[in-house]
Amino acid sequence: MSSRFNEMQKKAIFHKDGPLIIVAGPGSGKTTVIVNRAKELINTYHIKPQEILISTFTKNAALEMAARYKEICPPGGNGVNFGTIHAICLNILRNYFGYSYEKLCAENEKYGKLYSIYKKYRFQTGDERKFIKAAASGISNIKNMRKDVQDPSTFAGFQGISDYQMEKMYFSYMGEMEKEGKYDFDDILLLCHKHLMEEPGALSMIQDTYRYIMIDEFQDTNRIQADIFYLMAEKYRNITIVGDDDQSLYRFRAADPSIMLSFRKAFPEAEKVVLGVNYRSDGNIVRATRKFIEKNAERYPKNLQANRESLEGIRFVQTEDENEETNFILRMVRQDHEKGTPYGEMAVIYRTNKESQPIIGKFMEKDIPFYAKKDDIIDIYNHFIYKDILNFWEIANGSRDYKKWQRAMKRPTLYITGQCFKECRNIDEIIEWYLEKGNRRKTKDIIQFRERIQVLKNFSRPKDLIAYIRDAIGYEKGLENYAKYMHESIDLLNMIFDDLEKDASGFLTMKDWMQFGQAYHERIMEQTKWEKGTDAVSLTTMHGSKGLEYKVVFVVNAVNGVTPNKNAETALELQEERRMFYVAMTRAKDQLYIIKPETYYEDEVEPSPYYKQMMNICKTEQIPFKVLDGKIERHKVNVKNGDTLYHEKYGKGKVLDVNGNKIYMAFGNEFKIFPYPQAIEDSKLTPNKKEQGNVIHPDGYQILLSPTLSSPGNSRYVIVDPESGEVIRDCSGYGYKTVEAAMGIRIRKRN
């Protein structure tokens, strides 16, 4: 036996018959154990490969595990079955119960049906795509949880869709499926379970086919999935479950970690093996996170140990706000990258996707490559709020498109009936329609709405336009009602509105802002198309980080209300919140940063209890740690009216006014607004002329044309400290004729 396996791994690998529980902590080599167990069942115990079934949580995980097995596959070892529970059950339905692929409703077809139903009922929603996704998720949840569809409460509480809408979507969809004699992805499990229960002869044949069953990520199994596996294993009882109850994160998908904890109720003779050595993380990270997760009551005890020495400590970081938090991350990312850490070995992990917004903006501004899944970020320039703003602007400037008017009228609290929209062709007919109904108040409200829309054309600055839409037109109140009705977070919607308004304040025309928005959206689309293996910093939610690992991890916004989430109230919900924080921290191999801003979107916030608990654990367990100040000293300039400042793009400008958090500039006949003091601190505006070729060195210094130039064709450059004006390196004597060459000079930073 190879010495590369520890004793517990060997025990799991060489287990032959009977049920087995493998409790596998983070970085403990569970995939290695699973594929080597399959190998030894064939090599040592002469089990036929075709009798071995290995189930994984996702299709990609199944493909990866099959590839890992192929690397060590023994002679004659081909034929082991790898797949997700859905793929396994679909094969059973086809091979034993006569189901065909033709009757399977694919996901794109399912979404098409839901979209048709959505159009039929003319539901008033903000984002069609999001609504359809919410409906699809709700239908899946109802099926997988086997909820009573005669109970009205079954359709309540789904985010992004109202109770009434969910009920209509569910019964309409199910009616269409029944009419066409089709089944979908979720029906696969229900149908398979039904047939296994009702047809013992077929069940016995399936049991003879798959004598050895191994299930990975068992902590994320739901009730019906577990019941199917238990039926398949009932005859020979050679079932192995592999997982970590401390990493169960999918309650919203009906996953239940108690199923893993109660496995011995179904198989009382089951042996248990704990893979207790973490081969991934620094020893300090292993010790601290182990103590942290032990505070959850309902779990398998496991005394995780590190395989390598403790070299680095955990870094607790305090910042003024979420902007300083992002600036700190940027500084550390650049620093680590300069030291040789690839971008792809770094990750920023957050609790909810709304937290990605300031990070994405800064990363794009500073040209730091990043990777993010589409569902893990919010693109504010593809959000319905941004589209609503543009829609208001277009109809104010003369658009007669009735669909645009309908969209505008759906958001404020006008409550135009679907029948009215259907019978009318423009806003004038809508007014007449309500006059005929004798509803004078509604008629007055619509006339007032039309008049206020016309006022919008008088606003040239996007910020003023947004403020008017928000308040005078009643959009913000309409948004509150929408959030309540659709079970959306009003805090998230207000945050998106605030971010759009903040961005818009830097532009004097709608055209400029719209061009910025388009470029922003295109850049995000480009980033999300990158492959996971691209050398780019990963931006991901705690859910999305599961199963991944990085040398450097930043866990952001460790404040109460974010983590644990403010909506987590029950004991089960709070336990899952702790597990999510644990999963995020255990992604780190070498360096873990836990960051706590003092304010979050201008609100003072308390530190997360998890932040305080981790710091206390480090103190009591004598684990080295540092508390870092995330403040960044920047180039400070005192600005007053009449001063001359320079902008890299617009050139020489005069300060017209400094008012609150804005600085108003005139560049000839062109007027611009910048955030103050950020534009000064970030050197967007400087008191010194930015000569041609002035750029920022990777180490944060400025690269300027040397004053000792002999001619433009013989250009030389100097590297300058922007704070002191000191020349750090005169490149003129080194033959660096291009900015690119000067950028390549490594500068040793001074203490």
Side-chain angles (χ1 to χ4, degrees), residues 90-101 103 183 195:
L90 181 58
N91 282 331
I92 289 173
L93 290 174
R94 290 178 62 241
N95 296 331
Y96 293 92
F97 303 111
Y99 284 76
S100 67
Y101 275 133
K103 290 296 183 179
Y183 62 101
H195 286 294

Side-chain angles (χ1 to χ4, degrees), residues 93 97 99 190-200 202-203:
L93 290 174
F97 303 111
Y99 284 76
L190 296 170
L191 290 167
C192 187
H193 182 261
K194 179 177 180 292
H195 286 294
L196 293 177
M197 290 291 290
E198 296 177 354
E199 302 183 46
L203 173 60

Side-chain angles (χ1 to χ4, degrees), residues 19-113:
L20 175 66
I21 306 167
I22 301 177
V23 182
S28 60
K30 67 179 178 69
T31 302
T32 299
V33 167
I34 292 171
V35 296
N36 277 278
R37 173 161 157 72
K39 174 187 173 183
E40 295 307 325
L41 283 172
I42 298 165
N43 261 5
T44 305
Y45 303 115
H46 310 296
I47 306 301
K48 295 177 182 176
Q50 295 80 6
E51 294 179 336
I52 301 172
L53 175 67
I54 299 176
S55 174
T56 60
F57 194 64
T58 65
K59 182 180 178 180
N60 285 338
L63 292 171
E64 183 180 342
M65 192 168 289
R68 292 274 297 274
Y69 172 75
K70 191 175 180 180
E71 293 174 0
I72 63 167
C73 177
N78 290 320
V80 174
N81 302 280
F82 294 89
T84 64
I85 179 64
H86 287 86
I88 293 164
C89 288
L90 181 58
N91 282 331
I92 289 173
L93 290 174
R94 290 178 62 241
N95 296 331
Y96 293 92
F97 303 111
Y99 284 76
S100 67
Y101 275 133
E102 287 73 24
K103 290 296 183 179
L104 175 63
C105 180
E107 284 297 284
N108 60 341
E109 185 182 354
K110 176 181 179 178
Y111 274 72
K113 289 182 183 295

Side-chain angles (χ1 to χ4, degrees), residues 405-412 414 416 421 430 446 449:
W405 275 96
Q406 281 183 314
R407 179 178 183 127
M409 297 175 76
K410 285 178 180 178
R411 195 64 64 231
L414 294 172
I416 310 297
F421 279 137
I430 290 175
I446 298 170
F449 172 78

Side-chain angles (χ1 to χ4, degrees), residues 26-28 278-281 344-347 349 538 545-553 583-584 586-590:
S28 60
N278 183 314
Y279 294 91
R280 173 189 299 156
S281 301
E345 283 286 353
M346 293 182 263
I349 304 178
S538 287
S545 73
K546 191 166 178 284
L548 304 175
E549 60 181 29
Y550 309 91
K551 284 188 175 185
V552 182
V553 166
V583 165
T586 55
R587 301 311 92 195
K589 293 192 285 187
D590 297 341

Side-chain angles (χ1 to χ4, degrees), residues 279-285 308-315 336 341 345 549-553 585-593:
Y279 294 91
R280 173 189 299 156
S281 301
D282 176 90
N284 289 323
I285 296 173
R308 57 191 176 101
E309 293 183 10
S310 304
L311 299 173
E312 297 288 339
I314 297 170
R315 304 292 187 258
D336 284 342
T341 303
E345 283 286 353
E549 60 181 29
Y550 309 91
K551 284 188 175 185
V552 182
V553 166
M585 293 190 293
T586 55
R587 301 311 92 195
K589 293 192 285 187
D590 297 341
Q591 187 67 71
L592 171 64
Y593 295 94

Side-chain angles (χ1 to χ4, degrees), residues 224-273:
I224 192 170
Q225 292 170 348
D227 288 346
I228 290 170
F229 284 127
Y230 291 177
L231 284 168
M232 292 172 65
E234 191 175 44
K235 188 174 184 178
Y236 295 99
R237 306 183 74 79
N238 297 319
I239 179 172
T240 298
I241 64 168
V242 187
D244 182 7
D245 51 304
D246 290 333
Q247 298 186 68
S248 179
L249 309 182
Y250 293 102
R251 285 185 68 253
F252 66 95
R253 294 182 183 171
D256 185 356
S258 69
I259 296 172
M260 182 174 181
L261 294 171
S262 62
F263 180 75
R264 276 184 168 152
K265 289 182 179 179
F267 299 91
E269 74 274 31
E271 289 190 43
K272 185 177 76 173
V273 174

